[in-house]
Amino acid sequence: RFTDYIHRFEERRNTIPYVKDTEVMAAFHQGCKNEDFIKWWPRKTSLSASSAISVQQMFDRTNKDANSELVEYAQIKKRSLY
């Protein structure tokens, strides 16, 4: 699940001091398999440097996608109980 990837990534990232935002975002994107995030990413990274997104904005988006994934998973699980 996407939430698991986010947690693993954050745990690893917190062990690396002095990492640049661009390196964080590139590493996250390289390992990401979430289709919604992958579709969203090129539209944000193709902007000019003055409009580039921050790591915080990237993680805000990942949290949104992860929450959507959890809701979808819960709905599927609920349907399978009936």
Side-chain angles (χ1 to χ4, degrees):
R1 291 189 333 221
F2 194 39
T3 53
D4 297 334
Y5 173 68
I6 295 168
H7 291 294
R8 285 191 313 272
F9 186 87
E10 280 292 316
E11 286 175 4
R12 180 71 175 134
R13 176 182 160 222
N14 291 335
T15 66
I16 305 169
Y18 310 111
V19 63
K20 294 179 182 178
D21 285 356
T22 54
E23 293 168 341
V24 170
M25 291 189 283
F28 186 88
H29 186 258
Q30 185 176 10
C32 182
K33 304 290 187 250
N34 180 277
E35 290 180 19
D36 291 331
F37 181 81
I38 292 169
K39 288 176 188 174
W40 172 81
W41 183 256
R43 291 181 289 176
K44 295 299 177 185
T45 56
S46 63
L47 299 173
S48 66
S50 62
S51 303
I53 65 167
S54 68
V55 170
Q56 183 61 49
Q57 290 170 310
M58 181 188 78
F59 281 111
D60 288 346
R61 176 57 193 232
T62 61
N63 288 330
K64 178 183 173 188
D65 290 344
N67 288 337
S68 296
E69 180 185 73
L70 289 173
V71 167
E72 184 178 323
Y73 178 75
Q75 290 172 343
I76 291 169
K77 192 171 181 177
K78 185 177 179 181
R79 278 186 250 142
S80 67
L81 295 174
Y82 295 110

